[in-house]
Structures are given as C-alpha cells and as structure tokens.
Amino acid sequence: GMARPKVVVTRNLGAEAMRLLDRSDLDVVAWHSETQPCDKKWLYDNIPGATGILLLFSEKVDQEFLDAAGPTLKVVSTMSVGYEHIDVKALAQRGIKLGYTPDVLTEAVADITVMLALMAGRNVKETTTIVQNGQWSAYPWAPYLFCGSQLSANWLQPTRTAGFLGFGRIAQSTLARLLPFGFTRALYTGNPSSQPKPARDAEMHAKYASQGLAEFRRVDIAELARESDVVFVLAPGEPSTYHVVNEEFLRAMKKTAVLVNTSRGSLVDSEALAKACREGWISGAGVDVVEGEPHVPADHPLVKEPRCVVLPHIGSATNETRLGMGTMAINNVIAGVLGGNMPAELNMSR
Ligand code: 8YV
C-alpha cells in the first residue's frame, strides 16, 4: 500500500495523549520515557525521512537538526507557546510548517502570574520559611510584623496601576483577573520587536474603558517602570527583549512595587533584580523563570533573596493544561503531516 508518513515524537506525553497517535495512517516512532529526555543518538537515528516531528521547548531545532531530518520534513510541532528554541527562518526557507500551543495555557499562566504578585507582595517566602523552620513562636505578634504591600486597592491606595511589559494573550488574561482587585489603570509596552498596531490598540482601549479601567495606555519602558504598582514581564524571549529589566529599570520602579516574570528568564537581569530586592528599590519579586534554568543552584542570588519567590517554571503545569498542550501538539503534527488544518500554526510572515 501507500507509504505512511513517519512522525517522530521526542517524549512520551502520557497514555491519554499518546493514544491519539494510534493511527493506521501514520508510522509513529516515539521515545518511550515520560521523565527522561530522548538521547541524541536515538533522535538522529530516527529523524532521517521523517515527515513530522513533535518536540519540546528544551530541544533545539537548528540547521544541523533540519539537515539530519532531510527534505521529507513538512512540519515541526512544539509542545510550548514559546518557540525561541526553533530557527523559524530556517523552517520558512525550507517550507516547513511550525505548530505551537498558544491559548490552551493562557489561563494557567495568568493564574500563576497573579499568584506570584500576591506572594511577592505579602512576604510569603520569608514567612513560610519561618514556619517551616519551626520559628513562628520566636516572632511575637506586632502590628507590623510580617507586613507586606497590598495588591488590591485600599484606603491609602485607591488607584492601583498594573504595568505590562508585553501585552499579548497572557497579559490580557492577567489584567482580567486584576480588575476585581480594584485596578483602575493599566499601562503596557508593546513587545519591543513588534510594530505598534493602532487598530488593535483602539479596540482594546474601548473594551477596557467599558470594563471600568479609567486609564489604559501604551507607554514607553521608562514610564512603565515609574508608574506601575506591579510590573508583569510577559513578552517573548528573543534578542530584542534581552535584559529589558535591568538596573536602570528597577531603580526607576516604586519602592512599594512588585515585579513578576512569567515569560522567560532572559528578559530580566538576575543580579540586578536580586540587588533591587535586597536594597529595597522594590518591595519584592516573583519569578517562574530564571536565566540559565534549570541550572539554578541554592546559592543563586535570586534563590537566596528572601524577597524573591522563585518557582521552577510551573506556569503551565496543571494536569488540565498539560493534557491540553499535549493534545494540541499532537493534533498539530497529525494535521500538518496529513495536509489538514493545524489547530495552531505559527504565522511566519509576520
Ligand atoms: C512549558 C512554556 O512549561 O509553553 C511555553 O513556552 O514555557 C511552558 O508552558 C514548557 O515550555 C513546555 O514545553
């Protein structure tokens, strides 16, 4: 009969998702383990002649990889919304489609973004450490004991300002969660590498005005730092966003403000952020991503800093969302290989 297109899958994505690949019209070659990454020899033995490849955020797709796969390759599907591990230009030149997983993880990441803003403002790292060390009784109650800064609007701060460095899907869902906290101002910078989109901006302005935001404006990065009570770092990791949050940015922030990064570690200068927390330029920080992750030792400046909560990149880590991402990545590769409509194909012409 007809040759079945080969699909290489670099990780076992769990029985429920993998079942979708049980099809007679595909020749699926999948790495066996859920917990161990595939070894390079296995990968390079198997990718020649593949039509589709499903892989993860931690795996590089460069010229060497594409040469090894050869001219049969039609689609790369990544189980992530970020795609800085993929040489998109090289894919475009070879006419290879790229599938990714936007939307399905937006709400999970927005949840953890708000959680980090609360944790950073309310001294959760410092205070839970005290409890875990059995030292609670060493801190007799006092009116300002363990006090942090409040996220929601309050009698002293009736106006709260959210600042978004990047205003895509996750930032918009984060803002939706903040409106009931009494935020009345939202400021944002575009992704530094993308052009302003006046039509999209106008539409958003109308929408947020009707939802009770007194002010919603695109600003430059200096004004964002100066005016925000919380800065949310939510732009893609790419050369144009490298260390946008640096010493100058952090020094310009309010002393009562909080910084949250749930995008990529490369946007924030870790040394500068540790110094900002330590020296009180800001009230605290919460990061789900760190430059150089997962190699983040216990003596990393941000890990040592009591005013900085560090999470091990768990923004999308809910059972529901990961199953959604796995399903989407699988459906992307199947559709791409068989010539159907991919649920989420990256538009490379932008
Ligand atoms: C994942 C992410 O944890 O989707 C992304 O870009 O950073 C996270 O959702 C991870 O990258 C999954 O591959």
Side-chain angles (χ1 to χ4, degrees):
M2 281 220 320
R4 297 175 305 162
K6 176 156 95 172
V7 173
V8 175
V9 181
T10 66
R11 190 66 70 97
N12 177 349
L13 301 179
E16 195 168 349
M18 295 306 275
R19 214 170 296 135
L20 300 169
L21 286 165
D22 255 331
R23 307 170 52 115
S24 55
D25 51 357
L26 296 178
D27 169 22
V28 176
V29 183
W31 177 248
H32 60 91
S33 175
E34 244 182 89
T35 54
Q36 292 305 114
C38 75
D39 60 57
K40 201 167 177 186
K41 185 182 175 326
W42 178 90
L43 186 63
Y44 279 77
D45 280 350
N46 281 291
I47 51 176
T51 307
I53 297 174
L54 189 162
L55 44 71
L56 305 174
F57 161 79
S58 45
E59 291 159 352
K60 292 253 161 310
V61 177
D62 50 16
Q63 297 284 3
E64 184 200 1
F65 181 100
L66 296 171
D67 287 344
T72 51
L73 190 62
K74 279 198 175 61
V75 55
V76 172
S77 167
T78 181
M79 182 178 156
S80 61
V81 68
Y83 46 83
E84 71 272 29
H85 53 304
I86 291 164
D87 185 342
V88 174
K89 269 210 186 95
L91 256 57
Q93 275 161 11
R94 296 173 190 233
I96 299 168
K97 294 175 172 185
L98 178 59
Y100 67 139
T101 63
D103 303 314
V104 281
L105 49 61
T106 299
E107 306 306 323
V109 181
D111 286 350
I112 217 162
T113 301
V114 174
M115 186 187 86
L116 279 173
L118 287 163
M119 288 177 81
R122 298 299 290 274
N123 296 330
V124 169
K125 184 175 181 181
E126 254 176 313
T127 56
T128 53
T129 303
I130 287 167
V131 174
Q132 270 153 23
N133 292 340
Q135 293 172 331
W136 189 355
S137 63
Y139 292 83
W141 188 90
Y144 293 101
L145 177 69
F146 300 150
C147 283
S149 47
Q150 184 159 331
L151 185 65
S152 56
N154 58 82
W155 73 290
L156 284 173
Q157 300 160 312
T159 302
R160 304 297 280 154
T161 304
F164 294 94
L165 217 157
F167 200 68
R169 292 172 287 254
I170 299 167
Q172 290 169 49
S173 284
T174 300
L175 178 55
R177 282 159 175 68
L178 293 176
L179 296 176
F181 282 71
F183 277 74
T184 53
R185 295 175 77 213
L187 308 174
Y188 65 97
T189 64
N191 168 11
S193 71
S194 69
Q195 295 302 311
K197 299 182 186 75
R200 173 182 177 264
D201 282 11
E203 195 180 301
M204 286 196 306
H205 285 244
K207 171 178 144 190
Y208 288 118
S210 77
Q211 292 181 1
L213 269 193
E215 192 182 341
F216 177 74
R217 248 176 345 111
R218 182 188 278 266
V219 296
D220 64 24
I221 193 143
E223 189 172 357
L224 191 85
R226 226 172 31 240
E227 289 291 317
S228 303
D229 294 309
V230 198
V231 171
F232 296 101
V233 183
L234 281 167
E238 51 189 31
S240 70
T241 59
Y242 179 76
H243 284 195
V244 278
V245 175
N246 55 17
E247 181 157 338
E248 187 188 352
F249 183 96
L250 292 159
R251 282 189 188 278
M253 283 176 67
K254 298 181 188 177
K255 283 190 163 43
T256 51
V258 154
L259 183 106
V260 175
N261 184 9
T262 43
S263 54
R264 287 293 182 262
S266 63
L267 281 83
V268 174
D269 178 342
S270 295
E271 295 282 349
L273 181 58
K275 206 165 152 199
C277 292
R278 194 165 59 240
E279 297 183 2
W281 310 348
I282 63 176
S283 169
V287 302
D288 187 40
V289 286
V290 181
E291 227 181 340
E293 67 178 60
H295 306 287
V296 180
D299 65 353
H300 186 282
L302 290 178
V303 175
K304 283 193 317 192
E305 179 48 54
R307 289 296 177 96
C308 183
V309 177
V310 181
L311 300 180
H313 202 149
I314 56 170
S316 69
T318 67
N319 294 310
E320 299 81 1
T321 287
R322 285 290 164 79
L323 179 58
M325 291 167 70
T327 301
M328 192 174 210
I330 287 171
N331 288 335
N332 275 336
V333 81
I334 293 174
V337 161
L338 298 178
N341 277 332
M342 291 163 65
E345 179 185 346
L346 184 77
N347 178 358
M348 299 190 194
S349 63
R350 284 188 312 172

